[in-house]
Amino acid sequence: MGGLTKKAAIVGAYEHPGRLIPGKSTHEIQAECARHALAEAGLTNKDVDGFMTPSGIGMDAMNVAEYLGVQPDVFDSTQVGGSSFLLHVARATAAIAAGQAQVVLITYGSNARSAARAIGTGGAARPVINPWPDSFEAPYGGILAGMYATVASRHMHEYGTTKEQLANISVVTRRHASMNPDAMYRDPIAVDDVLASRMIAWPLKMLECCVISDGGGAIVVTSPERARDCKTRPVWVLGAGEGYRHLGRGKRDWTTIAAAQSGPSAMGMAGVTHKDIDHLMVYDSFTITVLTTLESLGFCKTGEGGSFVEGNRLAIDGELPMNTDGGGLSSNHPGMRGIFLIIEAVKQLRGDYEGTQRQVKDCKISLCHGTGGMLGSRHSGETLVLGRD
Amino acid sequence: MADYVKPLPTISDETKTYWEGCKAHELRIPKCNDCSELFFPPQGVCPHCLSDNVGYQKASGKGTVYSMSIVHQNRSPGFRDELPYIIAYVTLDEGVQMFTNVVGADDPYQVKVGAAVEVVFEDATDEITIPKFKPA
């Protein structure tokens, strides 16, 4: 243990229950989430002295701070894609450890679905693209799902991974969504249903792609001293790591992802090994994202992800329960899902679901990993290890 | 060619040697004159050693499909009329990968990861030519 271990605790976590939130601005959604997350800790916006959210369009992060009525001493609008919020928790913890802030609020809000924003399958008129690097990519129509699909095709070619193995990730995740009353899709599905769904970008079928929803969330991170006075059970930051991968000068093994860089850092800082992890939250933009994340985090060897995700291992009653909220594949995905990984981990570690089938039994340590950007192209990897007392 | 509606590359001083090559139907790979390393995509400063002494080597135009997808959904102008189409990383025989399309197959599902391909040039406008690949 070391670095940021137990230097801060998450004392508030709120996910907006809406999946279609018409008529609400992204700022309203964030304010609603912030109010709930602060309230459960016994805090208000007047306690907030640190604020973090991805940059948004222009410098919207500063607009959000204004909207929420906070006057932060520490501000971070780092935008590394959907994983940004995991990075923010690490930055918040570092700021708290350095004495720069006591109560850091992290927010997210999106109306991607009600605004009918196309995420990943195009729709925009021809943009003027920058000379580098987009001019070497955009002319070829590499949609988001297609870029992830290139990784899947390589994995299948190199390691014999099958479409049935990938589909099982969607099946297990949907089973978890059936336990979540807020999830967008809750009816159980089978591997055959996944394989029979519409092709989006070979080899990825529609039921291997995340949903498009509205949504939002908020997280409150505070110092150990302040955490003692909060109304919730503290969830400790035990470890954090980050990693980035890009085209690598034209020489890249795309089946190994940024998680291979961030995972060992986070687990090393936390002083945990794979067998210590009771619960796993993995950014599931697509099935291949989950498979490559499990490999690059070291839960199995590279190339063995296909057999690792077979069967019941990742189910709520399996040995490594994963995405117990129903994930991006079935619950919600408003464009950037990283904050929901953290919220579900916090709720599992606090035992918020005790008495229901959704609660992971004896959940002491949860690992969250977010991928931001695109696999098969530039992407970030942010890993957090969280634990309870 | 006036009806070309897909995104066109923006050509800058930094990358014009590459695009001039394409217009002449010659694929050029950036090569650092100081450290001798090849790289892709083209840029004015070598990402291996940060030298600004960057030149170009004529490529054989041959390569293999490293990874690919067959895109069935894209609502953007131009692409929506070509569904399904192939996007791919092609590893050139010289050793660097480039992102591209594989075109010219009767059925895109005949094209596989590992397949041999060779460059073809699509004259998008009078000024701009885009390199793509076809089954070899």
Side-chain angles (χ1 to χ4, degrees):
Chain A
M1 305 222 290
L4 302 176
T5 304
K6 288 201 168 185
K7 294 293 198 313
I10 299 171
V11 292
Y14 182 82
E15 177 180 308
H16 198 290
R19 299 297 183 262
L20 182 64
I21 316 171
K24 288 258 172 82
S25 73
T26 59
H27 297 150
E28 282 179 283
I29 294 168
Q30 288 180 82
E32 187 178 337
C33 295
R35 188 172 66 236
H36 283 281
L38 289 162
E40 74 168 8
L43 300 167
T44 74
N45 59 345
K46 295 174 185 61
D47 295 299
V48 172
D49 59 2
F51 179 68
M52 301 183 181
T53 193
S55 57
I57 295 164
M59 290 180 274
D60 189 55
M62 285 199 282
N63 301 341
V64 180
E66 176 177 325
Y67 194 95
L68 299 178
V70 296
Q71 294 286 340
D73 298 319
V74 170
F75 187 91
D76 195 321
S77 60
T78 302
Q79 164 63 288
V80 289
S83 60
S84 298
F85 310 95
L86 291 91
L87 177 145
H88 293 154
V89 168
R91 295 285 189 273
T93 303
I96 289 165
Q100 295 174 292
Q102 287 279 308
V103 177
V104 180
L105 174 65
I106 301 167
T107 66
Y108 174 54
S110 166
N111 52 17
R113 185 179 173 204
S114 51
R117 200 175 92 216
I119 300 174
T121 52
R126 182 160 87 197
V128 174
I129 55 179
N130 63 41
W132 186 96
D134 293 355
S135 288
F136 301 94
E137 297 164 22
Y140 301 111
I143 62 165
L144 186 141
M147 297 312 296
Y148 280 82
T150 63
V151 177
S153 76
R154 184 67 198 180
H155 208 282
M156 295 166 100
H157 171 81
E158 200 161 333
Y159 302 114
T161 308
T162 67
K163 56 186 191 287
E164 289 81 5
Q165 289 170 330
L166 285 166
N168 194 51
I169 295 168
S170 302
V171 172
V172 171
T173 309
R174 178 62 66 86
R175 192 182 143 201
H176 292 166
S178 74
M179 307 184 300
N180 178 359
D182 296 329
M184 196 159 152
Y185 295 103
R186 302 184 62 204
D187 294 336
I189 52 173
V191 165
D192 285 348
D193 297 319
V194 179
L195 300 183
S197 65
R198 188 162 54 88
M199 188 70 82
I200 301 296
W202 179 87
L204 297 178
K205 301 282 186 63
M206 187 178 77
L207 290 179
E208 295 182 78
C209 304
C210 58
V211 304
I212 298 175
S213 69
D214 293 340
I219 286 171
V220 182
V221 188
T222 194
S223 63
E225 296 74 29
R226 288 294 289 270
R228 278 196 288 271
D229 299 328
C230 288
K231 296 197 298 191
T232 44
R233 294 174 66 183
V235 168
W236 298 101
V237 176
L238 301 181
E242 53 190 289
Y244 304 92
R245 277 173 92 80
H246 47 62
L247 271 60
R249 309 162 181 146
K251 296 180 181 178
R252 181 56 85 197
D253 164 15
W254 284 116
T255 59
T256 297
I257 68 170
Q261 189 178 357
S262 64
S265 301
M267 293 178 75
M269 185 189 291
V272 300
T273 62
H274 296 91
K275 63 177 172 34
D276 298 319
I277 307 301
D278 302 311
H279 174 243
L280 195 55
M281 291 300 296
V282 170
Y283 201 124
D284 58 340
S285 45
F286 300 91
T287 50
I288 187 64
T289 323
V290 173
L291 189 144
T292 52
T293 300
L294 292 167
E295 290 183 354
S296 287
L297 287 175
F299 283 95
C300 59
K301 289 182 182 153
T302 299
E304 294 180 359
S307 54
F308 189 81
V309 302
E310 284 180 323
N312 204 49
R313 176 181 276 123
L314 302 173
I316 184 74
D317 52 355
E319 66 189 69
L320 187 60
M322 182 194 75
N323 295 354
T324 45
D325 61 339
L329 290 170
S330 286
S331 178
N332 60 344
H333 194 293
M336 298 197 288
R337 144 155 260 278
I339 200 164
F340 307 127
L341 309 180
I342 307 162
I343 293 168
E344 174 69 5
V346 166
K347 289 174 173 290
Q348 290 286 358
L349 290 163
R350 293 197 306 216
D352 282 13
Y353 305 121
E354 280 303 345
T356 76
Q357 56 175 344
R358 185 169 167 185
Q359 180 64 47
V360 172
K361 291 191 174 51
D362 203 21
C363 185
K364 294 188 292 292
I365 295 179
S366 179
L367 185 145
C368 306
H369 181 83
T371 296
M374 290 190 278
L375 294 191
S377 187
R378 300 162 196 89
H379 66 273
S380 64
E382 313 292 336
T383 310
L384 285 179
V385 181
L386 304 175
R388 71 180 196 203
D389 277 323
Chain B
M1 283 183 282
D3 59 349
Y4 190 89
V5 295
K6 294 191 286 188
L8 286 165
T10 302
I11 299 171
S12 64
D13 285 354
E14 184 175 359
T15 58
K16 68 180 180 188
T17 306
Y18 174 81
W19 293 112
E20 285 168 357
C22 292
K23 194 177 172 189
H25 290 202
E26 175 181 301
L27 185 64
R28 296 172 180 171
I29 309 173
K31 180 179 184 178
C32 179
N33 290 326
D34 282 338
C35 74
S36 302
E37 293 278 359
L38 300 173
F39 57 90
F40 203 87
Q43 55 189 64
V45 172
C46 171
H48 290 274
C49 73
L50 296 184
S51 163
D52 57 6
N53 187 10
V54 168
Y56 285 82
Q57 169 182 317
K58 184 183 175 191
S60 67
K62 298 185 185 308
T64 55
V65 176
Y66 169 82
S67 64
M68 60 176 276
S69 173
I70 304 170
V71 176
H72 284 254
Q73 182 172 325
N74 186 344
R75 290 184 280 155
S76 299
F79 295 112
R80 64 187 171 215
D81 305 318
E82 297 179 0
L83 300 171
Y85 63 88
I86 297 173
I87 56 172
Y89 280 105
V90 166
T91 305
L92 301 176
D93 283 0
E94 290 80 4
V96 294
Q97 295 161 339
M98 62 180 284
F99 187 66
T100 189
N101 295 132
V102 178
V103 298
D106 294 333
D107 173 1
Y109 283 88
Q110 290 172 344
V111 178
K112 309 286 186 190
V113 175
V117 290
E118 62 187 11
V119 72
V120 291
F121 292 93
E122 181 179 297
D123 297 318
T125 70
D126 290 342
E127 303 301 320
I128 294 174
T129 294
I130 299 171
K132 298 184 175 182
F133 286 78
K134 66 175 186 182

